[in-house]
């Protein structure tokens, strides 16, 4: 299959175009904060609990809160039923998500506490780590966790010999490179940068520029989702 034909991608997008994204803040009643996000073929729910006393006590940090993100892919989220439970990949994504959030949350305000973020991938079609971080950030804001900025995540890469924004499943599998990033959009500080595949230094620069631009577009949608929730809340 040709990944790039007449300037169009397999799903008809231009090289610098995001897949359609829908964000809802606060759909869950029982969690302290939550977010439901659809991003192309991905469906993600994120829920935040805390800050609360970290248990067991030996994991407590007397100087700051710890962030415990748990990324989980539902067994029905991929076409061949996935074996339930944590694996190497989900542990890695949980770790990078915790680290991205740790760098913006005012963790010093909550010594000995933990803030839990559960990320459930209900449907997966490439870019789930980006979707997970983006949803987790909205759920954190919805829970009222004080943050310096609302993190946002998006990938760029190379498919069909072209540097493209936001790879879809076929591009991720058959493409040449994938570079997921997360940023703090007010300062453009990089909170996550990964890459697999092969690109020249110039192509990496181009991919980063595309991904940062994509992040800024998604940051607006995150803010809108939070504003919509609080407007409805005020009206009630
Ligand atoms: P990301 O979802 O962040 O792009 P990967 O690059 O590891 O993470 O995975 C790319 C895509 O491959 C996923 O979004 C998903 O659609 C698919 N995938 C990942 N793990 C599995 C699995 N165990 N079984 C089937 N498909 C999977």
């Amino acid at each position: 299959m040709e990944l790039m034909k007449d300037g169009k991608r397999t799903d008809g997008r231009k090289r610098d175009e995001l897949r359609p994204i829908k964000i809802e803040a606060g759909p869950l009643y029982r969690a302290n904060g939550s977010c439901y996000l659809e991003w192309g073929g991905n469906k993600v729910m994120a829920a935040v609990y805390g800050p609360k006393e970290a248990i067991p006590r030996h994991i407590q940090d007397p100087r700051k809160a710890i962030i415990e993100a748990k990324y989980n892919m539902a067994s029905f989220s991929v076409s061949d039923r996935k074996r339930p439970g944590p694996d190497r990949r989900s542990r890695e994504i949980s770790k990078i998500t915790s680290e991205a959030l740790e760098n913006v949350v005012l963790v010093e305000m909550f010594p000995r506490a933990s803030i839990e973020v559960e990320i459930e991938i209900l449907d997966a079609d490439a870019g789930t780590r980006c979707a997970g971080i983006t949803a987790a950030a909205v759920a954190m804001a919805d829970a009222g966790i004080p943050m310096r900025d609302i993190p946002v995540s998006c990938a760029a890469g190379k498919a069909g010999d072209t540097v493209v924004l936001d790879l879809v499943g076929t591009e991720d599998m058959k493409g040449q490179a994938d570079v997921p990033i997360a940023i703090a959009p007010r300062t453009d500080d990089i909170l996550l940068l990964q890459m697999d595949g092969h690109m020249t230094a110039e192509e990496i620069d181009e991919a980063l520029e595309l991904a940062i631009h994509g992040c800024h577009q998604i940051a607006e949608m995150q803010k809108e989702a939070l504003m919509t929730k609080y407007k409805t809340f005020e009206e009630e």
Side-chain angles (χ1 to χ4, degrees), residues 42 71 73 77-80 82 87 89 93 124-130 172-173 178 196:
N42 296 311
Y71 166 103
M73 222 175 199
S77 67
V78 288
S79 37
D80 293 329
K82 186 195 159 286
D87 50 25
R89 178 177 170 277
I93 299 179
D125 184 19
T128 59
R129 72 192 65 210
C130 298
D172 192 34
M173 266 186 317
D178 186 21
D196 59 51

Side-chain angles (χ1 to χ4, degrees), residues 2-150:
E2 261 187 283
L3 291 179
M4 199 78 192
K5 205 174 169 193
D6 305 328
K8 288 271 169 69
R9 298 157 67 177
T10 50
D11 57 0
R13 278 183 297 154
K14 297 195 285 267
R15 61 181 283 276
D16 60 350
E17 201 177 332
L18 288 166
R19 289 175 282 177
I21 298 178
K22 248 175 36 190
I23 308 178
E24 185 188 350
L28 301 178
Y29 286 107
R30 319 234 180 266
N32 296 117
S34 58
C35 173
Y36 176 66
L37 179 147
E38 290 183 1
W39 180 333
N42 296 311
K43 294 196 178 77
V44 180
M45 184 69 88
V48 169
Y49 295 88
K52 56 185 177 53
E53 189 188 1
I55 292 172
R57 287 182 67 168
H58 70 82
I59 66 167
Q60 293 182 356
D61 186 328
R63 290 159 303 154
K64 59 184 175 63
I66 53 169
I67 311 277
E68 293 182 280
K70 281 192 209 119
Y71 166 103
N72 183 56
M73 222 175 199
S75 52
F76 50 78
S77 67
V78 288
S79 37
D80 293 329
R81 182 179 180 277
K82 186 195 159 286
R83 194 157 167 255
D87 50 25
R88 256 176 66 114
R89 178 177 170 277
S90 69
R91 286 197 191 91
E92 181 237 339
I93 299 179
S94 299
K95 179 170 183 287
I96 56 143
T97 304
S98 301
E99 285 168 358
L101 295 169
E102 243 161 46
N103 281 303
V104 292
V105 171
L106 302 180
V107 282
E108 318 78 43
M109 285 177 68
F110 309 105
R112 300 187 187 285
S114 87
I115 301 170
E116 276 178 38
V117 196
E118 293 191 21
I119 299 161
E120 286 291 321
I121 308 298
L122 306 172
D123 247 330
D125 184 19
T128 59
R129 72 192 65 210
C130 298
I133 293 171
T134 300
V138 172
M140 295 286 266
D142 180 46
I145 308 286
M147 294 188 282
R148 279 179 270 276
D149 201 350
I150 300 177

Side-chain angles (χ1 to χ4, degrees), residues 203-232:
E203 285 168 341
I204 291 177
D205 284 345
E206 202 186 328
L208 274 179
E209 202 178 305
L210 267 187
I212 289 173
H213 183 63
C215 280
H216 282 278
Q217 292 177 50
I218 302 162
E220 289 306 310
M221 300 179 213
Q222 288 175 308
K223 272 187 250 161
E224 252 170 60
L226 287 160
M227 297 283 275
T228 305
K229 151 113 193 234
Y230 284 93
K231 248 200 286 183
T232 325

